[in-house]
Amino acid sequence: MSATFETRNLHHCFGGIQGYYQHRSTVIGLPMRFSVYQPPQAIQQRVPVLFFLAGLTCTEETFMIKTGAQRYAAELGLMLVTMDTSPRQTGIAGETDAWDFGAGAGFYLDATAEPWSKYYRMESYITQELRNIIVNQFPADPSRIGIFGHSMGGHGAITLALRHPDIFRSVSAFAPICAPMQCPWGQKAFRNYLGENQETWQKYDATALISAGHRVQELLIDQGLNDQFLTDQLHPHLLENACAKAGQNLTLRYHQGYDHSYYFISTFIGEHLSYHQEQLG
């Protein structure tokens, strides 16, 4: 099968290959960038794959550069995939005016409100187009796909896992936005991307989805207690309460002293990759 993407950079890393790519997305309607780490085991066989969804202002490079995840992925035989956090250079007025909305802040949903609905279709991009590229043109096992993320990407990972259990067999998150309908980041994004109908908002709120009956097999969340966004934006206690009422398996671990940064993620990334390997088998 001929390539549907162009290779921007390749780097040898812990016996595997770290690659950065770009392609013309038919779902988004614009060029999109993604990155893939192929562990050394991928030379011989198809391997499990984890999609990582990054947070506000990040790109397809941030996770690969900052976490040191490739060391663990090489040992465990896991492929890692990340993507940009939104479309870029859409021409929509105001797309770069704020760091928490628009460019770099796609919230991993399919926008329904104009003008954002033309390009901001990150849910369909990840679950359809990018997934197809990964399973068809990389040595990824389509039956063993997991998803995890950080902050806005933690929100995305949990909601996509809940909405697409046929695709994602494992899920975890670092400091996710757990109840976006009840925090300023989420309210701003949902109002602009989805309009004023809060029934539509519930489709992309992890706490609301759990309360409505959506389930995953297991859910692992790590949260720093020195996180500057914990009180106003993240609300893990709301998700914890919803999981308890619904009987959803949840492991929520709080860590004294840790903040919202990639120093926090890099500390626990090895444990998350081991968790996913066990879940994916």
Side-chain angles (χ1 to χ4, degrees), residues 1-6 23 132-133 136-138:
M1 182 179 294
S2 60
T4 58
F5 54 85
E6 62 181 78
H23 72 120
N132 287 340
I133 290 174
N136 290 327
Q137 303 196 50
F138 290 85

